[in-house]
Amino acid sequence: MLNWDEFELPITAPRFGEGAGLYVRRGRQSAPESPVTLVFLHEALGSIAQWRDFPQQLAERCGCDVLIYERIGHAGASSLELPRPDDYLVYEGEVVLPQLLERLEIEQAVLVGHSDGGSIALVGAASVPDRVRGVITEAAHLLVEPITRDGIIQARDLYDEAIRPGLSRYHGDKTDTLFQGWWQTWLRDSFQGLDLSPWLGRIRAPSLIMQGVNDQYGSALQVEKICEGIGAQASPCWLDAAHIPHREATEPCLEAMGGFIRRLLNDQA
């Protein structure tokens, strides 16, 4: 059984100014079977609540503690100022995530990142390899593709009618700024050269690179390039889903992630 705690976590990040803080939800096993903590990194428009009970289900299957956090600009975290810098994914992975792990004394993490969170997890795994025992990404982006731009343009055009009402339930008065920061950054000319491949060769942890076969924001090229960059430690995993496998194919996703984590723990025992 998991015992839950929620709290604000101040961070020292000059880009976000004084008083900036993340919002954290942490679950600890009453009798943990492993020293590993599963650290969940949400999507570009995500929050703790949008993961629903998926983190709890995965943690209970694997006997691990779990940590879910909200980045600056999301839900319970501090507000975000625009424009968002082109290197925001790298900053989150190199500056914010390592600080989170250190302050919460997480020495053995399995990073579970979705979309933006997957990209940040890759940078984070390269930045603090001694703290990361495994990496799982869902729909991570290494680069911007035409399909990425097309999907974002479609979402932007549907925002007021189809997206904003649901998104505002999670992010309140941060919703418009968060959404604007997302689409404006990804469609900005200066962002089109995004390339996270230089970080991949520094990842030492076994990695499960997952994507839905019908992902509307990325092609198979993302998975192929990520696995190629990490090398033999990386394994691709395709699911019958679009951009959110953990919601659209929950049980297959749990099986794939749970099996990967259990093998990881057994191999490293």
Side-chain angles (χ1 to χ4, degrees):
M1 177 181 293
L2 287 164
N3 301 304
W4 292 96
D5 188 23
E6 295 189 17
F7 52 93
E8 296 180 5
L9 181 70
I11 58 169
T12 303
R15 176 171 295 182
F16 299 130
E18 293 185 8
L22 312 173
Y23 193 76
V24 175
R25 188 165 192 246
R26 189 170 195 175
R28 298 177 186 266
Q29 298 281 356
S30 300
E33 301 173 21
S34 165
V36 163
T37 298
L38 309 182
V39 178
F40 282 79
L41 299 90
H42 58 66
E43 61 177 302
L45 304 175
S47 65
I48 292 171
Q50 284 164 268
W51 282 105
R52 302 181 183 177
D53 66 346
F54 187 86
Q56 179 176 344
Q57 289 190 63
L58 185 60
E60 289 178 346
R61 288 191 182 206
C62 301
C64 298
D65 291 347
V66 61
L67 178 80
I68 322 162
Y69 76 100
E70 292 167 343
R71 299 188 295 275
I72 299 298
H74 298 253
S78 301
S79 298
L80 175 70
E81 292 187 9
L82 301 180
R84 175 173 261 166
D86 288 346
D87 67 344
Y88 80 98
L89 296 170
V90 172
Y91 193 82
E92 290 285 349
E94 288 190 335
V95 177
V96 180
L97 178 58
Q99 191 173 155
L100 170 81
L101 298 178
E102 181 177 0
R103 291 199 174 185
L104 297 181
E105 299 180 340
I106 297 175
E107 301 291 341
Q108 300 186 52
V110 171
L111 305 179
V112 184
H114 174 224
S115 195
D116 266 24
S119 302
I120 294 166
L122 294 172
V123 176
S127 301
V128 283
D130 291 341
R131 289 184 182 267
V132 177
R133 286 186 60 178
V135 181
I136 300 174
T137 66
E138 288 183 89
H141 285 93
L142 195 66
L143 45 87
V144 182
E145 299 181 272
I147 189 176
T148 314
R149 291 178 54 87
D150 291 345
I152 292 171
I153 290 170
Q154 183 177 12
R156 180 197 63 187
D157 294 345
L158 293 172
Y159 175 65
D160 288 333
E161 180 178 350
I163 297 176
R164 189 180 190 279
L167 204 60
S168 63
R169 293 201 300 267
Y170 301 104
H171 301 286
D173 59 8
K174 297 184 178 74
T175 304
D176 290 340
T177 300
L178 179 64
F179 191 81
Q180 183 179 351
W182 172 61
W183 75 259
Q184 285 187 348
T185 303
W186 280 81
L187 297 182
R188 187 187 301 145
D189 287 345
S190 59
F191 193 75
Q192 302 313 297
L194 173 70
D195 182 8
L196 300 180
S197 58
W199 282 266
L200 300 180
R202 291 156 43 195
I203 296 175
R204 302 202 302 260
S207 303
L208 182 65
I209 310 304
M210 308 177 72
Q211 187 161 308
V213 294
N214 298 311
D215 193 328
Q216 65 270 39
Y217 294 107
S219 75
L221 182 65
Q222 303 284 349
V223 173
E224 293 168 3
K225 290 293 186 183
I226 293 171
C227 289
E228 178 183 319
I230 296 175
Q233 291 281 73
S235 301
C237 177
W238 295 99
L239 294 168
D240 185 12
H243 190 61
I244 314 177
H246 65 269
R247 188 178 304 167
E248 298 155 345
T250 302
E251 187 57 33
C253 200
L254 283 168
E255 290 179 3
M257 290 186 182
F260 171 80
I261 293 168
R262 286 191 293 272
R263 289 191 297 272
L264 180 70
L265 298 179
N266 290 335
D267 291 345
Q268 299 181 1

